[in-house]
Amino acid sequence: MARPLAITAVARYIMRVGPKQRHPYLAIGSLAVLGFLAGFAARHRDGSAASGESLSPKGPAAREHKAEAPLQSLPALKSTDTVEALSVERGDGHYDSVALWLLDAPIEEIAQLGQALIQDGRVSEGTVELLLTHWTRKDPAAALAATKSTRFERAAWWAWASNDPEAALAASRNGDVENRSAVLWALTLFHPQQALKALEDPALAASISSVTLAEKIAIRDPRAAMELLKKEGWPDMQGPLRQWARREPRAALEWLIANGAGDRPKLKTAFVETVERENPEELASLAAVASAGEVKRLLEAAAFRYLAETDPAAALAEARASESPMLAAERLVVLGRGMVGQNPQAALGLLGELLQACPDAASRRDTVALPGGNSAGDRRDVEGLFDFVKSLANADPRTTVEAVDRMLAGQAPALYGGDLRTCAAWVWASRDLESFTAWLAADADPAFSEAGHQVVIGQLAERRRFSEAMAQLETLSGSDARRGTAIDTFERWLRADAKAATSWFDESAVPEETRQAISHLLPRNQ
């Protein structure tokens, strides 16, 4: 006898999902759907026959309808298991059997099965929790008595609280602390408004997870969830904020600004990331209304990324019109990184345009004047710039190194942070050290020679060719550079093969300057 497709699909799902992967309510609810569908089909069929009315189409459709197989009657969805059978059955199918049996089991039999399963140490916790959800709905006192001092005691309180939160909370107030915690956890998951009210009681508040509660409240009222967490001392608010940003980004932004949450980096990032993923078309308007500060900057950057994806020509025009050289560079990086895969030559052209607009893009410092003519500042690279250059070098190492070397001709490597030529050169040298070394000797800009030779030494060390790396120290013109590179390289050699490094030091004609720089690193001198 065939079942309708919808019923068969639900049945397959219920049987496929293991007991530990579903909540008791899911199993009961799914089986209830099966029962409803079966009952609806049966009532629909019987009612039509009794009234003598037909719901079959008329006219040409009627002839097609008659050719179809008639809807066959469905068997009643009812368990044939007994308390005795379910008391001894085990395995993955036990959960499903109990779930079906509970649909119309009388309370007396539920109590009998519950007592049998609680006393059996082999039964799965999920199966007992499922039964307790039913049992506490009809006779909580008996369920609590049966589970007292067993491993299921807290599960019974939790199940009762999920069914009757007020009664369970009142009964747990003066009892075992762990049972009360189980009740409050159930309130947090299933009755967040009651949990919010309980949070006002100092005796109960310590047992409530304000973060979890806020996430539940945020499903319906994200503003209330954020206010709760603010009152609790600003714990992890990213979950509720992300929910709010998905549904009402403008309201969420206004709350962030009004409450000073813009000073909290994780919240700013969570908000912008969520809007960029869920509502990117809102980014530009949100950036326009945001007050000056980090949130506004992040929104503007995200809005430009979205524009670069949807309208690259407009994005390029906007980047070129940027008043700030730093902003222009950041935007050109976004456009360039998007071009590398399809048109690396055009992307390389944008890098040249970027370095013309912001020559110190790789070593920019925000400087503040100090008394006495001194100054201090923080380095701020153009975000994504080195990744952009690295992606260009990965696409075509030699072309990228030669182009960047021309772009920065005559400029010494940056004093602060990395150097764009070194970034690209490292990629080339890691793939073809010999070709890079030859180019460095014959064609490189003299201003890059020192940094280029340090790349060679670093790559020789990467290949564990340490004696060659140490011999290359003489290519470095500055004594400080030689000393620092010698120490770094010899330390790596000692870690990789202390015996070989020591033997080299003892037996080779090591220049005196190098010997003095590294002698203290030898194990015998420590």
Side-chain angles (χ1 to χ4, degrees), residues 226-464:
M226 296 295 287
E227 292 290 352
L228 166 63
L229 292 177
K230 179 185 174 184
K231 186 188 301 183
E232 291 295 305
W234 298 85
D236 186 2
M237 305 173 74
Q238 294 184 53
L241 177 61
R242 289 182 187 277
Q243 292 193 52
W244 200 2
R246 277 194 291 270
R247 301 204 301 264
E248 298 178 295
R250 181 72 172 266
L253 175 62
E254 291 173 352
W255 189 94
L256 285 174
I257 295 172
N259 288 275
D263 296 330
R264 299 178 178 273
K266 289 184 179 180
L267 287 185
K268 292 183 292 190
T269 302
F271 173 75
V272 175
E273 285 180 348
T274 303
V275 177
E276 186 171 10
R277 183 177 61 253
E278 303 290 342
N279 304 291
E281 67 283 353
E282 301 283 341
L283 287 165
S285 61
L286 291 172
V289 300
S291 54
E294 184 68 7
V295 174
K296 186 179 186 71
R297 190 188 74 81
L298 291 173
L299 284 168
E300 288 177 339
F304 185 82
R305 287 194 293 271
Y306 179 63
L307 181 63
E309 291 178 3
T310 56
D311 192 344
L316 180 58
E318 186 172 315
R320 287 170 171 167
S322 302
E323 296 181 2
S324 162
M326 193 73 167
L327 182 58
E330 288 176 345
R331 290 176 170 177
L332 288 170
V333 164
V334 172
L335 285 163
R337 292 180 71 177
M339 288 183 182
V340 172
Q342 296 181 339
N343 194 340
Q345 284 300 319
L348 198 57
L350 283 184
L351 177 62
E353 185 175 342
L354 180 159
L355 292 173
Q356 286 185 336
C358 188
D360 59 347
S363 56
R364 192 174 183 86
R365 288 174 65 84
D366 296 329
T367 304
V368 177
L370 298 176
N374 297 318
S375 65
D378 294 325
R379 172 184 157 215
R380 185 193 166 198
D381 296 335
V382 171
E383 184 176 355
L385 175 58
F386 284 90
D387 287 336
F388 175 29
V389 172
K390 190 179 295 184
S391 65
L392 284 168
N394 280 321
D396 190 340
R398 184 181 192 116
T399 299
T400 301
V401 171
E402 291 177 338
V404 175
D405 194 47
R406 288 193 299 270
M407 293 173 191
L408 299 176
Q411 297 184 30
L415 294 176
Y416 308 103
D419 177 73
L420 293 181
R421 285 172 294 192
T422 301
C423 174
W426 188 264
V427 176
W428 184 9
S430 66
R431 294 188 184 181
D432 189 345
L433 181 57
E434 286 67 31
S435 294
F436 172 75
T437 303
W439 170 85
L440 182 65
D443 300 315
D445 176 32
F448 178 60
S449 177
E450 188 94 344
H453 284 299
Q454 287 183 326
V455 170
V456 173
I457 294 169
Q459 281 296 328
L460 287 170
E462 285 284 316
R463 292 162 168 76
R464 299 171 69 92

Side-chain angles (χ1 to χ4, degrees), residues 450 454 473 476-488 513 517:
E450 188 94 344
Q454 287 183 326
L473 290 172
L476 304 180
S477 59
S479 60
D480 289 343
R482 286 195 300 272
R483 175 180 173 81
T485 306
I487 292 173
D488 290 343
E513 180 187 56

